[in-house]
Amino acid sequence: MLRSSKRRHRKSVPPFASTTHVGLIQVLAPMSESSRQHDRQHFFKYMPAETARKVLLTSRLRWSSPLLFNDPFDVPRDIAHGFTSADIARATADLFNQYLDAPPEDLTDFDDSLAQLFTLARDGFPPELREQLRTTIVETLTQLQSGNALQELRDHWKSVVPTLRILCLAESPNHVAMWNHYADRYRGVVLGFKCNDATDNFLLVAEPIEYLQAKPDVYTDHGLAKLLCLKSLAAAKAIHQIATQSKSDDWSYEKEWRIVDYAEGSDETQYWDRPFSAEDLSHIYLGPLVLAHDRHHILSLAAAYPNVRIFQTSIGMDRELHFQSHEG
């Protein structure tokens, strides 16, 4: 919800339990206490008029599971798809060899035991000790990666995805494609919300989507091997960030931001309708093709929101959207 006490702001990072360096998603970590994480003043939601009426009537916004998203490629349903345990074991052994020969400069996020080992390697091992370690560690890693570890990782992620609850936001009300796709082909509404420090609302912890031209490294056997070398929390943050906060650059025009949380216990609805504070609703933009009865209903509901500014949207001869303040 947008209005919330600090203890309800939860950093939605699913940490990994670690069996040596094997990350398996086990539990859901609480967010850190609320604090502003960006300098934006407002975010916007595009929606059909019917949805806008429900939002204004109930003062609630919907947070949805990725299973309800219109893009089935958004938030992967499976991790390590197409790889076998042998693939990951081989990639981990190869990566360990690389790190042993050329240790990374920054070992902050590495598993403590590996960080110590690579620090010693950087300082200089006797050649015979280096080869002994190479043989022993690679054999150990290969054994650890065999069996059910990979399937457990997949099963855990599949169990986590349905619990995700995501609020998607836009930077601007002035985007033609967004009006067409999400606001009922210009007949809908855009609602604007203030990032309100006074009410400590959820908008303060929104994060921007990263739009990627290439497949993330974590979707390769080499990338998964890198995760296995990290501390549990660092690995959790990496997989969470890639899975929920990145998309193909085909979607970059949306300039989307998100807030991600997790459902606790049994929740079969696949969404939350969370309340927001009336004072945080800052703008209502009526679509250029909004129907008269929708316009009337929305204007009547807007009276309950003390700080809202209302605009009628029109399409000019310049093929641009224009916003005219609604008076009275």
Side-chain angles (χ1 to χ4, degrees), residues 35 37 40 57 71-72 108 128 193 204 206 236 242 294 305 307:
S35 61
Q37 297 182 14
R40 299 200 64 82
L57 183 64
D71 177 13
T108 304
E128 62 277 8
F193 297 89
L204 301 178
I242 289 295
D294 288 330
Y305 296 88
N307 300 325

Side-chain angles (χ1 to χ4, degrees), residues 2-254:
L2 299 182
R3 178 168 54 93
S4 172
S5 64
K6 288 189 175 183
R7 65 176 178 274
R8 289 194 176 185
H9 285 271
R10 304 189 314 139
K11 192 66 176 177
S12 40
V13 176
F16 297 114
S18 181
T19 58
T20 305
H21 315 302
V22 182
L24 300 179
I25 304 167
Q26 299 285 1
V27 293
L28 303 175
M31 271 191 184
S32 58
E33 290 195 351
S34 169
S35 61
R36 176 179 279 275
Q37 297 182 14
H38 55 77
D39 60 1
R40 299 200 64 82
Q41 297 304 307
H42 298 90
F43 287 111
F44 302 88
K45 284 286 291 181
Y46 291 75
M47 60 189 70
E50 180 181 359
T51 302
R53 293 200 304 269
K54 292 178 181 178
V55 170
L56 295 173
L57 183 64
T58 63
S59 297
R60 291 176 179 269
L61 282 173
R62 178 155 294 184
W63 301 51
S64 298
S65 162
L67 301 179
L68 300 178
F69 285 3
N70 63 317
D71 177 13
F73 292 93
D74 195 348
V75 182
R77 311 300 195 256
D78 190 12
I79 286 181
H81 179 72
F83 297 118
T84 66
S85 295
D87 294 330
I88 305 304
R90 186 165 46 251
T92 304
D94 290 345
L95 183 65
F96 179 82
N97 277 325
Q98 293 176 28
Y99 284 161
L100 200 58
D101 291 334
E105 287 297 321
D106 185 2
L107 296 170
T108 304
D109 289 334
F110 276 66
D111 177 88
D112 288 339
S113 58
L114 285 181
Q116 294 175 9
L117 181 62
F118 294 146
T119 297
L120 291 173
R122 190 164 53 200
D123 293 341
F125 274 141
E128 62 277 8
L129 179 56
R130 182 185 297 273
E131 291 308 311
Q132 182 181 355
L133 280 170
R134 192 190 307 278
T135 301
T136 302
I137 296 297
V138 168
E139 288 178 353
T140 302
L141 286 173
T142 301
Q143 292 172 2
L144 286 169
Q145 295 306 318
S146 63
N148 298 323
L150 186 61
Q151 189 58 47
E152 288 176 9
L153 173 60
R154 289 171 174 157
D155 290 344
H156 276 288
W157 180 250
K158 286 181 179 178
S159 71
V160 166
V161 170
T163 72
L164 286 164
R165 296 294 178 267
I166 299 177
L167 179 65
C168 302
L169 304 160
E171 288 187 357
S172 167
N174 190 13
H175 200 294
V176 171
M178 296 284 282
W179 274 100
N180 184 47
H181 295 161
Y182 299 106
D184 192 20
R185 293 174 294 175
Y186 311 99
R187 293 176 295 193
V189 173
V190 173
L191 299 183
F193 297 89
K194 181 180 179 181
C195 302
N196 197 336
D197 296 277
T199 58
D200 187 26
N201 66 23
F202 264 116
L203 296 179
L204 301 178
V205 297
E207 295 184 45
I209 289 292
E210 182 180 8
Y211 297 99
L212 306 174
Q213 293 183 351
K215 180 188 296 185
D217 191 35
V218 74
Y219 296 158
T220 67
D221 54 357
H222 181 77
L224 287 168
K226 284 184 177 179
L227 283 182
L228 304 181
C229 292
L230 301 181
K231 295 175 183 176
S232 296
L233 183 58
K237 288 181 177 179
I239 195 67
H240 167 87
Q241 191 71 18
I242 289 295
T244 66
Q245 296 291 155
S246 70
K247 298 174 70 171
S248 164
D249 66 347
D250 292 340
W251 297 88
S252 60
Y253 69 89
E254 291 186 345

Side-chain angles (χ1 to χ4, degrees), residues 262-325:
Y262 290 83
E264 297 177 358
S266 177
D267 181 2
E268 298 180 354
T269 63
Q270 297 187 346
Y271 64 84
W272 289 334
D273 288 331
R274 281 185 156 182
F276 60 87
S277 176
E279 58 263 34
D280 292 342
L281 182 68
S282 55
H283 302 82
I284 297 177
Y285 297 90
L286 300 164
L289 302 181
V290 66
L291 300 177
H293 71 275
D294 288 330
R295 185 176 187 274
H296 174 77
H297 200 173
I298 288 168
L299 290 176
S300 65
L301 292 170
Y305 296 88
N307 300 325
V308 71
R309 299 176 62 196
I310 303 172
F311 297 87
Q312 178 62 55
T313 308
S314 61
I315 301 173
M317 288 294 293
D318 56 1
R319 298 186 179 182
E320 298 287 342
L321 294 172
H322 299 271
F323 305 108
Q324 182 176 1
S325 178

